[in-house]
Every structure is written in C-alpha cells, then in structure tokens.
Amino acid sequence: MSDSSRDLDTAAANAPDREAARPADHPSDRPPVLIVDDDPSMRAGLRQWMRLAGFEPVEAVDAEQALTLLTPDFAGCLVTDVLLPGASGVDLLRKVKAIDAELPVVLLTGHGDVSMAVEAMHHGAADFIEKPFDPDVVAAVVRRSVAHRHLVLENRALTRRLDDLQGLEARLIGECAEMRRLREQISHFARTDASVMIVGETGTGKEVVARALSDLSVRAKGPFVAVNCAALPETMVEAELFGHEAGAFTGAERLRVGRMEQADGGVLFLDEISAMPLLLQPKLLRVLQEREVDRLGGARPVPIDVRVLSAVNVDPQTSVAAGRLRQDLLYRLNAVEIRIPPLRERAGDARLLFDSFANRFAVDYGCEHPQLTADDAAFLATHDWPGNVRELRNAAERFVLNAAMGARSLCSLVIGDAGGDPAPRGRLKDMMEAHERRVIADALARHAGSIAPVLVELDLPRRTLNEKMARLGLSRGEIAEADAERSK
Ligand SMILES: Nc1ncnc2c1ncn2[C@@H]1O[C@H](COP(=O)(O)OP(=O)(O)OP(=O)(O)O)[C@@H](O)[C@H]1O
Ligand SMILES: [Mg+2]
C-alpha cells in the first residue's frame, strides 16, 4: 500500500467527525467522482474517502476506460493520476476537455513534478495535488470542483430552457398566461422520460405539443411514430400496433413489424387513446409495463424502449366513467397531464394567431396581407371557435384567398352566408349595443384613433362619445395601434 493511500485510510477512519464526511441522504443524490488510477490500493483508498466525503466514486484503471464512463453533463469531477498505463493523465485531461471543456479534472502528480503540473494547468486542469497527499486536501479540492460543476450545469440547463422556450414561441403561438405556462410545461417535461397525456378539444394543438415534447427530448433523433387509434378499423388495431409473424393468421403472409416496435428508441404517440378497443387495452398496458412486445404468433417477446405520449379530446375521467378507457391504463399513460385550453378561453390569442397565419398564407399565395375591418376584429375576438386553432387557420387561409378576389367579411367566411352575415338574434338591447360598438370602433379605426373627425362624422358631442366608449369598453389607443399594426 502506498503512503498516500495509508493516509487516506487513517483519515477515513476519522471522517465521521468532520464536516466533509456528511454523506448525502440518498446514494443517487451524491455527485459522482471518477477516480482514474491503475494502482488498486490507491483506488481503494480514494474510493473509501470519496464515499465518506459524500460523493459517489466511479473507477477506471486507465484513460480509455475513463472515457467510456463519462456521460454528457457528467455531474461530478475526475480525479486522475498523471502516470497511467497507455495515455497519460494529461492526455486524458486533453481528451476530456475536448468533450466538455467545463468538466473539472483534478490531477495527482508525483513529488516535485512542477513542469508536469504547469502543463496540466495550461490544459485547463481544475487543480493538481502532489503525492503523498492529505486526504482532507483532496476532499476540499473535489468539493470545490463539484460545486463549480453544479453551477455550470445549472447554467447550461437554464440556457437550454431559454432556447427551448424561444423555439416553442414560434411553434406554439400565444401570449396569454395559459399558453406561456403550456410552453414552460413542455420545456420542463420534454427532458424527462415520463408518459404525458395531452388533453384538449379538437384542433387545440395536441399534435403540435406531442411533436415539441419529442423534439426537445433526448429522443429527438429517434423515430416519432403517431398512431390514431380512432382512425384504425378495430380488427386491424392489434396487428398494426403489435405486429405479427408470417403465417400468424389467414392473410398474414409476411412478418410485420408493429408500430410499437417501429418507435423503438423514440416516441410513440397514441392519438385519441379513448378510441382504443377495450379488449386490447390490457395488452397495451402489459407492453408498457414490461417494455416488450408480443407479436401475434410470435414465439418470444421483443424488448422495446419507447416513450409514450397520448392525446384525448375529452376529459379522460369521463371516458373511464363511461367504460371506454381502463383506469389502470390511464394511470400508466398520464404520469403527467398537459391540458391545452380551447381558443375561446385564450384572451387575445385569436388575433395573434390569425395575423400570423394570414401573414404566412399571404407569402405562400403571393398576395397582399389583407386588412381586417373593425367588424372582422370584433368577430375574431367574440366567435367561440368550436374547431379551435385549426378552424382559425382555415379561416385565415380563406380570408387571404378571398381578399384577392374582392373582400368578404370574416364572419361570412366562417359562419357561411347567402351573400350577407346571418341575421342577429338575441336581446334587442345587446344587439343595439353590439351595433353601436361596431360603428364607433369602425370610425375610430378609419381615423387612426383620432377623436375630432369621429365626432364630426357621427355628429356626437365629445362627452357622449367618451361615455359610450367607456361603456362599450373601447379604447382609442388600442384601435389606433391595431390599425397601425395592420397597415405595416
Ligand atoms: N398555438 C399554436 N400556434 C400555431 N399553430 C397552431 C397552434 N395550435 C395549433 N396549431 C395548428 O393548428 C392545427 C391543428 O393542430 P393539431 O393538429 O395539433 O390539433 P389537435 O389538437 O391534434 O387536433 P385533433 O383533436 O383534431 O387531432 C395545425 O395546423 C397546427 O399546426
Ligand atoms: Mg390531433
């Protein structure tokens, strides 16, 4: 046993009295320390001390083995002897820095090897310690390096989330609080392997969310396999999902790899899962639990590694209560539930989405981005969009195309008409108010929010106009802004 490892043993025996020796509550909470040394007794000493100091030791006998043990975003630090069989500790340091320049590497050098130490520091070593060393010093250096590493990783995660959120803003447009929260949730849960169930009415963007979850995850490069359980005939769901061997049943001439197997290494998106035939639900549950698929007619199960995302357009508990969805399957699928609000509940977003779609279609079709009248704007804000974003997107497309052939009101395009908007129905007072609001908003928009010409045009005293605008919730600033925005 070397001197330094004897030192380690003695110090380790006293360790419980020291502050450094406080172990983490749970072994997996301990930061890893990769010890690289070909001398087994030195490794044993360091291992013991690192464990007592609250770290999780991982060991390698040489540089080559060490490199296989490093994972991206390795959460701890490396402690390596300079003299190793094959590549030296300094070579290892260089290679590690090429993989991750911010991964701390502490070098253990022979006595008096100053030039080696200088070279090591030059290549970015976190520190070097001369042998024989005091184990307390090693613990202190490792603790400092690990604390620094922790900060670096926190910073990286933060930068990554900001990048994610920026990317998501373009894919999932919406500025209301609910949409902001939705993007936060996606960026957070994308990095986990949890099963996510996406709940939202038709056209709210469930598939957009599923793809974003996949694209921001470690499985981004793997396959994304979407299965619409409602679109498959009941008799075909089993073969489609689980696959079959050649000759498994009449007509099964060739082996077929099921969708679940196709998703191996990636993401399986089970769309409209409540439409999954009840008889097959236990089989699906078994596959998800065992992580292996039984092909129809197969002799043995095939292991698969998939992350499962699913979507429903009605509350899954309603489907459970109606006996269409098994509760045990639901538990398996909704470790995380992401709810997308319907468009009518996203204040202000209809206009934002409409403008963005209309812009895109105007570019695609090579036409002008048409102006919205105050009526169109009011319709956008008050229509309840039962088909949600999909309906709005279609409306924007028709609006752009129709504008090129002579304008039509958005309302008539969406609700349909025989040459005019449908006759309004309801309380006379409400209809009068809506009409009054429309007339004033239109006049304000035409005069870019300036009051004087509106007073003349509508032949109203200033005070009456002010009162009406306050009662009808009209602001000239907003109208002028909306108008200016439109004419850009
Ligand atoms: N927030 C959004 N920003 C931009 N585009 C969106 C947004 N939400 C949805 N879309 C677009 O709306 C359309 C419908 O979205 P998607 O297909 O994801 O809805 P869905 O909830 O899966 O609908 P369904 O229940 O009918 O399957 C797509 O063209 C999608 O790109
Ligand atoms: Mg969908």
Side-chain angles (χ1 to χ4, degrees):
M1 186 185 283
S2 68
D3 280 356
S4 36
S5 54
R6 206 177 350 256
D7 278 354
L8 282 169
D9 280 347
T10 331
N14 298 328
D17 298 333
R18 299 165 200 247
E19 197 242 328
R22 212 180 297 133
D25 294 331
H26 190 273
S28 63
D29 292 341
R30 295 160 169 255
V33 174
L34 177 52
I35 299 162
V36 193
D37 202 313
D38 58 322
D39 175 353
S41 59
M42 177 65 91
R43 279 201 314 276
L46 276 164
R47 178 200 316 144
Q48 197 177 359
W49 179 255
M50 286 300 123
R51 206 165 266 152
L52 285 164
F55 301 106
E56 186 61 34
V58 189
E59 294 168 43
V61 293
D62 57 19
E64 198 184 345
Q65 193 185 18
L67 289 168
T68 65
L69 293 172
L70 283 181
T71 47
D73 284 349
F74 185 80
C77 76
L78 251 85
V79 177
T80 177
D81 193 8
V82 162
L83 291 177
L84 293 173
S88 75
V90 177
D91 292 334
L92 173 61
L93 165 72
R94 258 194 253 127
K95 285 186 181 145
V96 169
K97 291 285 160 182
I99 299 170
D100 183 343
E102 290 171 303
L103 185 56
V105 178
V106 177
L107 288 158
L108 306 174
T109 64
H111 178 62
D113 200 349
V114 179
S115 62
M116 172 74 84
V118 171
E119 192 194 346
M121 296 309 277
H122 179 71
H123 286 297
D127 216 330
F128 70 94
I129 301 168
E130 246 183 89
K131 288 189 203 170
F133 44 75
D134 174 354
D136 269 353
V137 173
V138 183
V141 168
V142 166
R143 207 175 306 123
R144 199 167 54 232
S145 300
V146 167
H148 182 253
R149 178 68 175 165
H150 183 69
L151 283 180
V152 165
L153 292 185
E154 250 183 14
N155 215 326
R156 266 187 208 173
L158 210 68
T159 315
R160 217 178 273 157
R161 281 196 73 185
L162 282 176
D163 288 350
D164 286 359
L165 285 174
Q166 262 173 15
L168 280 173
E169 272 172 32
R171 294 172 73 164
L172 271 167
I173 298 165
E175 282 309 317
C176 65
E178 291 83 355
M179 288 306 285
R180 286 171 188 274
R181 189 159 161 267
L182 180 69
R183 290 192 293 261
E184 292 271 354
Q185 282 181 313
I186 295 172
S187 133
H188 180 76
F189 291 119
R191 307 241 168 251
T192 72
D193 230 7
S195 303
V196 179
M197 180 173 271
I198 307 157
V199 185
E201 288 179 12
T202 180
T204 44
K206 296 184 292 297
E207 180 142 1
V208 181
V209 170
R211 286 192 186 268
L213 280 169
S214 167
D215 292 348
L216 298 184
S217 77
V218 288
R219 296 174 179 268
K221 293 207 172 77
F224 178 92
V225 177
V227 180
N228 187 338
C229 306
L232 289 170
E234 204 167 317
T235 48
M236 281 180 57
V237 178
E238 191 168 13
E240 179 77 15
L241 270 182
F242 308 112
H244 59 72
E245 297 289 339
F249 50 83
T250 329
E253 281 159 23
R254 263 182 262 142
L255 175 142
R256 172 172 186 172
V257 174
R259 310 283 273 159
M260 302 198 82
E261 261 184 82
Q262 287 171 15
D264 190 31
V267 170
L268 178 70
F269 176 45
L270 296 170
D271 205 355
E272 305 219 31
I273 185 71
S274 321
M276 171 76 128
L278 256 184
L279 273 175
L280 285 184
Q281 292 187 17
K283 183 164 179 181
L284 173 63
L285 179 63
R286 211 166 42 244
V287 175
L288 301 181
Q289 268 164 350
E290 309 298 331
R291 310 219 151 259
E292 45 188 35
V293 186
D294 280 307
R295 290 182 192 149
L296 289 170
R300 67 180 74 87
V302 184
I304 52 162
D305 164 33
V306 292
R307 179 183 189 187
V308 180
L309 306 177
S310 57
V312 284
N313 52 24
V314 288
D315 191 312
Q317 285 303 346
T318 315
S319 304
V320 171
R324 277 193 299 275
L325 182 64
R326 288 177 62 116
Q327 180 82 65
D328 49 6
L329 180 60
L330 175 61
Y331 282 147
R332 195 77 207 177
L333 293 173
N334 76 344
V336 174
E337 203 170 278
I338 291 188
R339 291 194 171 246
I340 316 181
L343 190 52
R344 62 184 171 280
E345 286 172 18
R346 305 184 207 165
D349 279 0
R351 180 60 194 265
L352 197 66
L353 280 157
F354 187 90
D355 284 344
S356 149
F357 290 137
N359 266 332
R360 226 179 296 161
F361 286 122
V363 172
D364 287 354
Y365 293 123
C367 31
E368 298 266 305
H369 179 182
Q371 305 243 332
L372 285 178
T373 62
D375 265 1
D376 294 332
F379 175 77
L380 260 181
T382 52
H383 181 54
D384 64 0
W385 302 107
N388 292 290
V389 186
R390 184 180 293 108
E391 185 189 5
L392 182 96
R393 191 173 181 276
N394 292 342
E397 184 172 17
R398 266 183 287 152
F399 190 70
V400 168
L401 288 173
N402 274 276
M405 302 180 298
R408 280 180 74 192
S409 81
L410 187 58
C411 174
S412 64
L413 282 170
V414 173
I415 297 181
D417 62 351
D421 290 357
R425 287 190 199 171
R427 290 168 48 195
L428 182 65
K429 181 170 171 285
D430 293 346
M431 288 189 284
M432 299 291 283
E433 261 193 15
H435 183 67
E436 203 176 7
R437 189 177 193 283
R438 215 178 286 169
V439 170
I440 299 176
D442 226 357
L444 282 165
R446 244 177 294 117
H447 298 291
S450 123
I451 294 284
V454 174
L455 294 176
V456 177
E457 189 182 310
L458 301 180
D459 188 20
L460 282 177
R462 179 179 289 271
R463 193 148 151 229
T464 314
L465 179 66
N466 284 346
E467 278 168 7
K468 283 187 188 295
M469 284 175 64
R471 182 166 50 81
L472 299 168
L474 286 167
S475 117
R476 61 190 260 219
E478 269 173 37
I479 289 173
E481 251 175 46
D483 209 48
E485 202 43 46
R486 228 175 296 140
S487 36
K488 264 183 200 165

